[in-house]
Amino acid sequence: MTSRFDLIVFDWDGTLMDSTAHITRSIQAACQDLGLPIPPRERASHVIGLGLVDAMRVVCPGLPEPRYQDMVQAYRHHYLAGDETIELFDGVAEGLAALEAAGYLLAVATGKSRVGLDRALKVTGLTPHFLATRTVDECHSKPHPQMLLDITDQLGVAPGRTLMVGDTTHDLQMALNAATLSVGVSYGAHPVEDLLDCEPLAIFDVFDDLQQWLIQQRS
């Protein structure tokens, strides 16, 4: 059987790396530092996947524009103070190697900065697995389709042969906007019921189940 997909594009935070709680706490700490209302956990985690300035606009709407840059700087201070302790989800390193061996093209589309993604790829040793990566520095923030469309264009794969994997509605809505397929993971930032509204093919509770499902598509 021929697989439905040639290219798998992964979100990073909350999909490959277990960073949701750290990002949420860093957003809350940034607001506290600047004397702004501290958002509840659900609100802070909901913006994960957006570009940082867009995320801060959602967390604290209506501020003067320079204040969002202040929030971004405060956030980065807290995030960088602990990012070396963040680990990949169980099964990610082995699963990506298995998917690559099965013939899939792999890529990343993330709301992280280019510096942040490159640092994370180096620390985790995952750089060799990905043929293309896009960050919010180079593209419109999710759910705009540019990240996905840039990747499919670079690798010469039709959107209809591309699968987006993410933990947020921002990821899955981007897939809809780019006319690619998608699957969700339930262990990240957004509730399953919200992910289902974006019409994913499936939702997986652990990365191993996702990897096995993808391998079965090529058998």
Side-chain angles (χ1 to χ4, degrees):
M1 181 179 70
T2 302
S3 172
R4 298 175 65 181
F5 325 113
D6 300 313
L7 169 62
I8 314 298
V9 182
F10 293 93
D11 169 58
W12 187 267
D13 291 307
T15 299
L16 299 180
M17 181 161 272
D18 190 6
S19 47
T20 299
H22 182 54
I23 293 172
T24 300
R25 288 192 297 266
S26 297
I27 291 172
Q28 292 172 320
C31 291
Q32 183 175 26
D33 287 352
L34 297 174
L36 299 170
I38 299 174
R41 180 183 59 81
E42 294 80 6
R43 186 172 183 180
S45 64
H46 182 78
V47 302
I48 294 174
L50 299 176
L52 277 178
V53 174
D54 288 338
M56 299 311 175
R57 290 190 183 111
V58 174
V59 169
C60 290
L63 295 178
E65 197 64 23
R67 294 288 280 166
Y68 294 121
Q69 294 297 333
D70 294 339
M71 291 179 70
V72 167
Q73 292 305 314
Y75 165 83
R76 284 177 170 156
H77 169 76
H78 288 284
Y79 183 85
L80 291 173
D83 75 329
E84 291 185 0
T85 66
I86 304 171
E87 298 182 351
L88 297 171
F89 286 107
D90 289 344
V92 165
E94 302 85 352
L96 291 174
L99 293 174
E100 187 177 22
Y104 283 113
L105 307 178
L106 306 181
V108 171
T110 176
K112 297 179 81 66
S113 68
R114 170 52 61 187
V115 170
L117 177 62
D118 287 350
R119 182 176 60 248
L121 287 168
K122 181 178 180 180
V123 168
T124 59
L126 296 184
T127 303
H129 292 303
F130 299 112
L131 297 177
T133 61
R134 289 294 186 279
T135 73
V136 75
D137 292 343
E138 300 127 11
C139 300
H140 292 293
S141 181
K142 301 172 184 177
H144 193 284
Q146 184 184 1
M147 287 188 195
L148 277 176
L149 295 178
D150 277 4
I151 290 171
T152 57
D153 183 62
Q154 177 184 338
L155 299 181
V157 178
R161 300 286 300 172
T162 300
L163 183 73
M164 179 68 204
V165 181
D167 69 306
T168 72
T169 56
H170 313 306
D171 301 316
L172 305 191
Q173 186 61 52
M174 177 175 65
L176 286 173
N177 292 341
T180 73
L181 300 168
S182 73
V183 297
V185 295
S186 65
Y187 50 77
H190 286 191
V192 169
E193 54 268 28
D194 291 349
L195 300 179
L196 288 171
D197 289 340
C198 297
E199 305 173 14
L201 296 176
I203 294 180
F204 298 93
D205 295 330
V206 294
F207 194 86
D208 282 344
D209 289 348
L210 166 63
Q211 178 238 308
Q212 291 171 20
W213 181 78
L214 286 168
I215 295 295
Q216 289 172 1
Q217 305 303 304
R218 298 190 78 84
S219 62

